[in-house]
Amino acid sequence: MASLSESCRTASTMFSFTGQTKRCSWILCLFVLMCLTSVQVAAKPDSLTDVTDGNWEQILTGEWMIEFYAPWCPACQQLQPVWKEFADWGEDMGINIAKVDVTEQPGLSGRFIITSLPTIYHCKDGVFRKYQGARTKEDFLSFVDEQKWKAVEPVSSWFGPSSILMNSMSALFKLSMFIRRCHNYMTEQLGIPVWGSYVIFGLVTLFSGLALGLLLVFIADFVFPSRRFSSPDYYQKKQTMEQARLMKQQDDAHEADGEEDDDEEDEEEDGDQDEVWRRRRGSPEGRPEPKGQGFPDEALRKRVVCSREEEEDT
């Protein structure tokens, strides 16, 4: 009986140990499963890349699908779940899936000329094509897997995001966003009225333009000096021309004085002739006629001229 009881105790001990082992194994399996699930959940957000002004150049290498969206856009809000599901397939298909918030990245909005939301671009080794198909996960997968993007005309190099023109557009969009933030700060934080903010921006624009224009003039004169002023004979030629101009003025003044002298001589001759005519005009006895009884001077002059012409004809 004693041996039987001992064997029963041993068997019960073994069964209890086995149950504890099974229980521990179940707990261990559950723990491992939870760890794997948490790792997968944590890895999903990494499959969707956030592109910013600081890292946008990474999309120039490899194959990418980029979505431009805004949080306030209803169509963008509807597309977000589909875009996240599509991003989960990116690693299997060897493609990078990215998104750009245009409200936070105005420079990229100008660089890609985003005029409607959402806008989707496909990029393959720096060549961009605009996606125009349906916005479902299956359509996105077929567009990449079947290489339907080859049938889409690529964006011209003039309007590519890395071109000089698009760099200028990006800077312009950044400047506009900076001005908007300054306006909001002055009107909301400092309490400046809206018209006061506009006056401040107008004055800043005016003085900035004047300063920039003056700087450009100085740079142009320094880099491209005038050949006329840089010539060693310039001042000598200028002095010679000035002397010639003064001499010409003196000659003109002498000619004018000579013409005035001629006019005065003519007037003196006319005065002498008038005096002769006055002497000839008188009574038959040789006495001058009283005032008011003779012919006018002009009539007498005509008579004398006519008499001279008759004498010449005879």
Side-chain angles (χ1 to χ4, degrees):
M1 292 293 293
S3 61
L4 181 60
S5 61
E6 289 179 0
S7 61
C8 290
R9 288 178 182 176
T10 304
S12 61
T13 303
M14 292 178 61
F15 279 118
S16 63
F17 180 76
T18 304
Q20 291 178 357
T21 304
K22 289 182 178 180
R23 189 179 304 169
C24 292
S25 63
W26 279 106
I27 294 174
L28 182 61
C29 292
L30 183 61
F31 178 75
V32 171
L33 183 61
M34 290 176 62
C35 291
L36 293 175
T37 306
S38 62
V39 169
Q40 290 179 357
V41 171
K44 282 186 178 179
D46 295 337
S47 61
L48 192 58
T49 305
D50 288 322
V51 179
T52 63
D53 285 320
N55 64 355
W56 75 271
E57 292 184 351
Q58 66 179 340
I59 66 177
L60 299 178
T61 56
E63 188 173 5
W64 292 77
M65 287 285 285
I66 310 114
E67 176 206 8
F68 292 84
Y69 75 100
W72 49 263
C73 174
C76 300
Q77 294 173 0
Q78 295 178 0
L79 180 62
Q80 291 309 306
V82 179
W83 195 252
K84 289 180 180 179
E85 292 179 2
F86 173 55
D88 294 337
W89 288 79
E91 185 177 357
D92 297 334
M93 301 182 64
I95 186 172
N96 302 294
I97 314 299
K99 62 178 180 178
V100 179
D101 185 356
V102 295
T103 60
E104 297 293 334
Q105 309 298 330
L108 292 179
S109 177
R111 190 179 295 276
F112 287 87
I113 314 181
I114 304 302
T115 57
S116 62
L117 295 173
T119 298
I120 300 173
Y121 274 97
H122 174 270
C123 178
K124 176 70 173 178
D125 295 330
V127 180
F128 290 84
R129 294 175 174 84
K130 193 172 183 179
Y131 178 80
Q132 302 286 355
R135 298 168 184 170
T136 62
K137 183 183 71 174
E138 290 75 15
D139 291 314
F140 294 147
L141 292 174
S142 63
F143 182 80
V144 176
D145 188 38
E146 298 176 9
Q147 296 185 353
K148 293 181 179 180
W149 49 267
K150 291 184 177 180
V152 181
E153 184 178 0
V155 177
S156 173
S157 59
W158 287 96
F159 297 99
S162 57
S163 64
I164 298 176
L165 179 61
M166 292 299 101
N167 284 326
S168 303
M169 288 294 295
S170 175
L172 183 62
F173 272 65
K174 290 180 180 179
L175 178 61
S176 65
M177 183 60 65
F178 173 75
I179 293 174
R180 181 179 178 182
R181 290 175 180 174
C182 291
H183 173 74
N184 293 335
Y185 176 77
M186 287 189 292
T187 54
E188 295 176 2
Q189 301 295 330
L190 301 181
I192 299 176
V194 176
W195 63 266
S197 175
Y198 291 156
V199 169
I200 292 174
F201 280 116
L203 293 175
V204 170
T205 303
L206 177 62
F207 287 109
S208 299
L210 292 175
L212 181 60
L214 187 61
L215 179 62
L216 291 177
V217 169
F218 286 154
I219 293 175
D221 289 340
F222 180 76
V223 177
F224 304 103
S226 177
R227 295 181 179 178
R228 183 180 63 181
F229 294 104
S230 60
S231 175
D233 300 334
Y234 167 72
Y235 294 101
Q236 184 177 359
K237 291 180 180 178
K238 183 178 179 181
Q239 187 176 4
T240 304
M241 293 175 64
E242 187 68 21
Q243 293 177 355
R245 186 177 63 82
L246 292 175
M247 294 177 63
K248 184 177 181 182
Q249 290 180 355
Q250 292 177 358
D251 293 339
D252 294 340
H254 288 312
E255 291 178 0
D257 293 339
E259 292 177 357
E260 291 179 357
D261 294 339
D262 294 339
D263 294 339
E264 291 178 357
E265 291 177 358
D266 294 339
E267 290 177 358
E268 291 178 357
E269 292 178 358
D270 293 339
D272 295 340
Q273 291 179 0
D274 291 342
E275 185 67 24
V276 172
W277 291 335
R278 289 193 188 94
R279 290 178 181 177
R280 290 182 179 180
R281 187 182 62 181
S283 61
E285 292 79 11
R287 293 177 297 176
E289 295 180 352
K291 293 181 180 180
Q293 295 181 0
F295 296 101
D297 294 340
E298 189 66 27
L300 181 61
R301 184 180 299 176
K302 290 182 179 179
R303 289 179 60 186
V304 172
V305 171
C306 290
S307 63
R308 286 182 178 180
E309 290 178 356
E310 290 176 358
E311 292 177 357
E312 291 177 358
D313 292 336
T314 57

